[in-house]
Amino acid sequence: MGPLHGIKVVEMAGLAPGPFAAMMLADMGAEVLRVERPGQSAPSGHPTMALLERNRRSIVLDLKSPAGGRVMRRLLAGADAFIEGFRPGVMERLGFGPEPCLELNPRLVYGRMTGWGQDGPLAQAAGHDINYIALTGALHSIGRPHGRPSVPLNLVGDFGGGGLYLAFGIVCALLEARKSRRGQVVDAAMIDGAASLMTYVFAALASGAWSDKRGENQLDGETAPWYGVYETADGRYVSIASAEPAFYAEMLRRTDLAEEAPDQNDRRGWPALRARLEDIFRKKTRDEWCAIMEGTDVCFAPVLTLPEAVMHPHNRARGVFIDVEGMAQPAPAPRFSRTRPDTPRAPERAPGDPTDALRSWGFADAEVAEFARDGAFGARRA
């Protein structure tokens, strides 16, 4: 059982960051019930969403029907936390905004996931990960000096700045509610989280240690020759991060450059050293460089494809990835010495009879049957 065993969470089905936060809570042992709207597609129709729906049951609930509303109120009355990821005002129009929900359950933690936040001039505007990180300076800071910014997948906005901060905020509010016996609203916005992730960079900028011009900083992978990615003889890549003097010296020793390399902090010598390293790394394959550098104080790792990452010996030894019903996926993180999370359950193919899902929330079978007759439940698209 994970550290959140005994915590009950109601999740409104949504897009990536909300389900990711719910997955993290469920991975840690929380009992999460996913509420889907009639007509929503099954996760099998959207493979990228399927793994994010692991470890929890789901029901299809028509919140616009009186019976569906009654079921939802029963769920929220017994929940510790609620997750919704719609634009500001949508849940209020459905009758399940923070005020009625906290009146119903004063200890409820009401988690809201948006891109722009619950207020501000852009609150009602559409957007996606790339837009939120663009407005925080994060996107501008990543990429080559004379080209367009590089998009870091949707890791910084959706998952890092969004889902992770929502999960963290919910757990913080749950801890506080144990003392105060009062719930509250957690306004998790991807723009806020992405900005928070940039704290180190803003600190470096304020101290004069960071250039606001893209591709001119030690940790951007484009400037310092001892921190970056290099192509190998077989068209693959390796990464080095020899930032500390001892690591830099080790990298020079293993590339036979100890006698000709400039002082590590002499920027005038960086272009020539990068050119030499590019030439040297292209003379051996990625696996040959692994034999020379992996596990040493060079601070080295091969750049792996996703299937290769699953099979790497270190990842296999630690169980970084697991197999659930034939599908490789990241294991729950972080790890705990005592309250270890169970192995994740595969996502449901489709919600079936809601009786089993609602039984643990205190619903009697007869009640569920009555709600079904009254039109509380619907079906989603196959």
Side-chain angles (χ1 to χ4, degrees):
M1 295 185 294
L4 295 183
H5 177 74
I7 298 294
K8 288 189 172 184
V9 181
V10 176
E11 170 203 2
M12 288 297 299
L15 297 177
F20 182 67
M23 182 200 79
M24 291 193 66
L25 299 177
D27 280 352
M28 295 298 110
E31 182 178 355
V32 181
L33 180 63
R34 180 177 170 88
V35 175
E36 303 188 19
R37 293 163 291 166
Q40 272 189 300
S41 297
S44 57
H46 198 326
T48 61
M49 296 298 293
L51 291 185
L52 298 182
E53 296 177 16
R54 71 186 186 190
N55 261 345
R56 51 205 193 269
R57 288 176 168 171
S58 62
I59 61 172
V60 179
L61 197 58
D62 183 2
L63 295 183
K64 295 181 179 180
S65 73
R70 292 200 302 274
V71 173
M72 189 66 169
R73 283 188 287 275
R74 277 281 303 277
L75 290 172
L76 293 175
D80 297 291
F82 177 48
I83 292 175
E84 66 94 359
F86 301 113
R87 291 196 207 191
V90 171
M91 292 307 297
E92 283 82 351
R93 290 191 290 274
L94 287 171
F96 292 98
E99 288 189 11
C101 290
L102 286 168
E103 183 177 345
L104 177 69
N105 180 356
R107 298 173 67 174
L108 181 70
V109 172
Y110 193 111
R112 315 198 84 170
M113 180 79 264
T114 59
W116 304 112
Q118 293 295 318
D119 52 31
L122 296 176
Q124 290 295 333
H128 276 299
D129 173 287
I130 190 174
N131 309 125
Y132 313 132
I133 69 172
L135 211 64
T136 63
L139 183 59
H140 166 79
S141 303
I142 305 170
R144 296 188 171 183
H146 304 297
R148 70 184 68 181
S150 297
V151 180
L153 303 181
N154 60 335
L155 301 177
V156 177
D158 278 350
F159 299 116
L164 277 171
Y165 275 79
L166 176 58
F168 172 67
I170 287 174
V171 173
C172 288
L174 287 170
L175 288 171
E176 194 279 336
R178 287 186 174 183
K179 297 182 294 183
S180 67
R181 298 183 179 276
R182 296 175 59 195
Q184 59 183 308
V185 176
V186 178
D187 175 4
M190 285 174 257
I191 191 170
D192 297 346
S196 177
L197 291 172
M198 291 289 288
T199 301
Y200 172 87
V201 176
F202 273 91
L205 180 67
S207 69
W210 187 273
S211 169
D212 199 34
K213 292 183 179 179
R214 185 166 53 257
E216 292 189 358
N217 296 285
Q218 292 185 6
L219 301 183
D220 58 25
E222 299 294 337
T223 307
W226 34 262
Y227 195 99
V229 172
Y230 289 92
E231 187 176 5
T232 57
D234 51 355
R236 297 178 177 181
Y237 296 89
V238 295
S239 67
I240 60 170
S242 310
E244 287 75 15
F247 303 158
Y248 179 65
E250 182 68 7
M251 183 271 291
L252 296 180
R253 188 178 73 82
R254 290 179 181 268
T255 53
D256 295 323
L257 287 175
E259 300 300 323
E260 61 179 276
D263 178 85
Q264 182 174 9
N265 295 315
D266 181 5
R267 283 178 172 261
R268 294 171 300 177
W270 283 2
L273 179 56
R274 179 174 284 274
R276 286 287 288 123
L277 286 171
E278 288 175 348
D279 180 61
I280 288 170
F281 278 110
R282 286 197 186 101
K283 291 180 178 178
K284 298 182 188 298
T285 67
R286 189 189 69 182
D287 289 347
E288 287 174 328
W289 282 115
C290 285
I292 294 170
M293 291 186 169
E294 195 165 21
T296 74
D297 280 356
V298 169
C299 298
F300 167 95
V303 178
L304 302 180
T305 66
L306 299 182
E308 286 175 331
V310 172
M311 299 305 296
H312 189 275
H314 181 80
N315 294 337
R316 287 171 64 90
R318 273 190 63 81
V320 174
F321 298 94
I322 56 176
D323 185 288
V324 179
E325 295 188 7
M327 185 174 290
Q329 55 198 272
R335 304 177 186 210
F336 297 83
S337 63
R338 182 170 51 81
T339 54
R340 298 182 180 181
D342 297 330
T343 300
R345 302 190 310 273
E348 291 183 338
R349 296 290 181 184
D353 185 343
T355 304
D356 287 342
L358 294 175
R359 190 176 286 142
S360 64
W361 289 71
F363 286 72
D365 294 359
E367 284 184 292
V368 178
E370 181 181 346
F371 283 127
R373 288 194 299 269
D374 292 343
F377 310 112
R380 68 181 178 190
R381 293 193 297 271

